[in-house]
């Protein structure tokens, strides 16, 4: 039974990685091209709430690798370490919401009102964990594009900070509403 469950968990994770790739092809127009709304974060964070941090990070890692393999990551290629930081590493850390999996599932089983708080808090952790890697890539790689006299640290913070805020709001609102409408999605069947 344990092997069957494990296969089910990893199959679900592979599907989440593929969904993340597919969602990245939906064009989103923003006033600033540096703003990155990552639609695939919602299914990834939801999966990490269902299955935990290790499966969530593994699915995110696969999502990042798929972006490299299909070539979409290569549009932003400057160096090999930069691609590794910004895709497999960063996307893997989007699964850090799984740190709250037990709390969320327990709150759902107990019909606790704290469940939304845990869902939003886990979303914040997942988004910040992912953009932590983008920030450092921004400092060490993209910082060379900073306006003259501007620190690469500030440049990366400004460049990536807007994406962090927008993705925190996006993930928090969507998953906060989803946990109220369909809490069973957050708890895997036994």
């Amino acid at each position: 039974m344990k092997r069957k469950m494990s296969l089910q968990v990893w199959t679900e994770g592979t599907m989440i990685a593929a969904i993340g790739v597919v969602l990245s092809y939906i064009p989103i127009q923003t006033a600033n091209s540096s703003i990155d709304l990552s639609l695939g974060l919602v299914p990834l964070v939801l999966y990490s709430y269902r299955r935990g941090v290790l499966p969530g990070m593994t699915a995110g890692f696969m999502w990042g690798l798929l972006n490299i393999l299909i070539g979409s990551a290569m549009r932003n290629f400057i160096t090999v370490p930069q691609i590794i930081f910004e895709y497999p590493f960063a996307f893997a850390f989007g699964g850090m919401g799984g740190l709250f999996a037990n709390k969320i599932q327990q709150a759902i089983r107990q019909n606790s009102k704290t469940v939304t708080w845990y869902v939003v808090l886990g979303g914040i952790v997942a988004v910040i964990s992912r953009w932590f890697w983008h920030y450092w890539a921004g400092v060490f790689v993209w910082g060379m594009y900073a306006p003259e006299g501007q620190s690469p640290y500030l440049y990366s913070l400004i460049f990536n900070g807007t994406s962090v805020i927008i993705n925190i709001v996006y993930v928090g609102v969507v998953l906060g509403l989803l946990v109220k409408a369909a809490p069973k999605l957050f708890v895997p069947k036994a």
Side-chain angles (χ1 to χ4, degrees), residues 1 4-5 8-9 12 50-51 105 109 183-190:
M1 183 68 177
K4 182 179 178 187
M5 182 59 148
Q8 181 180 0
V9 170
E12 188 177 328
R50 288 175 53 85
R51 301 299 185 177
Q105 292 175 21
R109 288 185 188 105
K184 290 182 181 181
L185 285 175
F186 291 75
V187 182
K189 290 184 181 178

Side-chain angles (χ1 to χ4, degrees), residues 38 41-42 45 49 123 127 166-176:
S38 185
L41 268 175
V42 165
V45 176
Y49 290 161
V127 171
I166 287 174
N167 280 281
I168 285 173
V169 171
Y170 163 65
V171 170
V173 168
V174 172
L175 291 178

Side-chain angles (χ1 to χ4, degrees), residues 70-81:
I70 63 174
S72 60
M74 303 320 271
R75 291 184 302 231
N76 301 317
F77 180 83
I78 293 180
T79 66
V80 171

